């Protein structure tokens, strides 16, 4: 199993811990760049740090992270910030179906979740749906390419 990088602000410490436990149970090595306490931090800083570290290993080709996870109170702030970083496609899935689509259709390389959100389905199951699916390619790959061209 590969490596996953995760970051969170003060709004998602418990959720981060739950996600780390689940990923480790699935055999991933998890690198935690988030905070572990209640002191207020700025989620754009967390998103930038995680995304830049994720991309650095991808570009170096050395033991790259398989994907990144970002958590804040809603998941919204970290996902907006992450999607400003060129090379990141961060999805904010609301359920298992969306988590699977994030991989199959959007080839997302980052997922965002909210520690203050009451999800109707377990975040662990959403993670599993993403982890156990693969990009479909074809017309979806063409659309992802068009997304990436927006960075140019
Ligand atoms: C922090 O209070 C909160 O704004 C942050 O965690 C996140 O929800 C922003 O989108």
């Amino acid at each position: 199993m590969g490596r996953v990088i995760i970051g969170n602000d003060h709004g998602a410490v418990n959720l981060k811990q739950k996600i780390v436990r689940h990923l480790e149970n699935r055999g991933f090595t998890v690198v935690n760049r988030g905070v572990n306490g209640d002191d207020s931090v700025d989620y754009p800083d967390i998103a930038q740090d995680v995304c830049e570290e994720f991309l650095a290993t991808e570009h170096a080709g050395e033991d790259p992270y398989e994907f990144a996870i970002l958590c804040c109170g809603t998941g919204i702030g970290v996902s907006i910030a992450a999607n400003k970083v060129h090379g990141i496609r961060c999805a904010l899935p609301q359920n298992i179906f969306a988590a699977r689509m994030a991989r199959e259709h959007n080839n997302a390389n980052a997922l965002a979740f909210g520690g203050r959100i009451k999800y109707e389905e377990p975040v662990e199951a959403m993670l599993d749906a993403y982890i156990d699916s693969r990009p479909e390619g074809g017309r979806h790959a063409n659309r992802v390419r068009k997304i990436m061209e927006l960075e140019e």
Side-chain angles (χ1 to χ4, degrees):
M1 271 298 177
R3 295 198 304 158
V4 175
I5 186 165
I6 190 166
N8 64 286
D9 75 358
H10 53 285
V13 174
N14 291 342
L15 176 62
K16 185 271 297 290
Q17 289 166 347
K18 188 161 80 167
I19 290 173
V20 169
R21 273 196 303 275
H22 184 67
L23 292 173
E24 287 179 345
N25 284 341
R26 284 208 50 154
F28 289 98
T29 299
V30 183
V31 173
N32 174 20
R33 309 273 287 207
V35 300
N36 298 306
D38 294 335
D39 291 347
S40 183
V41 294
D42 294 337
Y43 60 81
D45 297 335
I46 303 288
Q48 181 182 8
D49 173 62
V50 167
C51 291
E52 288 181 351
E53 175 65 13
F54 173 86
L55 293 169
T57 65
E58 188 177 71
H59 294 150
E62 290 170 10
D63 198 9
Y65 294 103
E66 292 200 9
F67 55 91
I69 303 276
L70 289 162
C71 304
C72 64
T74 58
I76 296 171
V78 282
S79 65
I80 292 173
N83 281 313
K84 300 284 184 194
V85 179
H86 286 190
I88 296 295
R89 293 178 300 281
C90 183
L92 179 59
Q94 61 273 53
N95 54 33
I96 293 169
F97 171 73
R100 193 173 76 245
M101 289 300 109
R103 178 88 97 171
E104 292 185 353
H105 286 194
N106 312 117
N107 195 6
N109 52 14
L111 293 180
F113 295 101
R116 296 170 182 157
I117 297 293
K118 288 203 184 317
Y119 290 102
E120 290 182 2
E121 296 175 307
V123 167
E124 291 95 329
M126 293 161 66
L127 284 167
D128 288 344
Y130 172 83
I131 292 165
D132 296 331
S133 57
R134 291 292 169 266
E136 272 186 20
R139 67 184 187 281
H140 300 296
N142 192 42
R143 292 165 184 163
V144 171
R145 179 184 56 75
K146 288 186 176 187
I147 292 174
M148 301 321 286
E149 283 173 1
L150 295 173
E151 294 182 350
E152 291 167 10

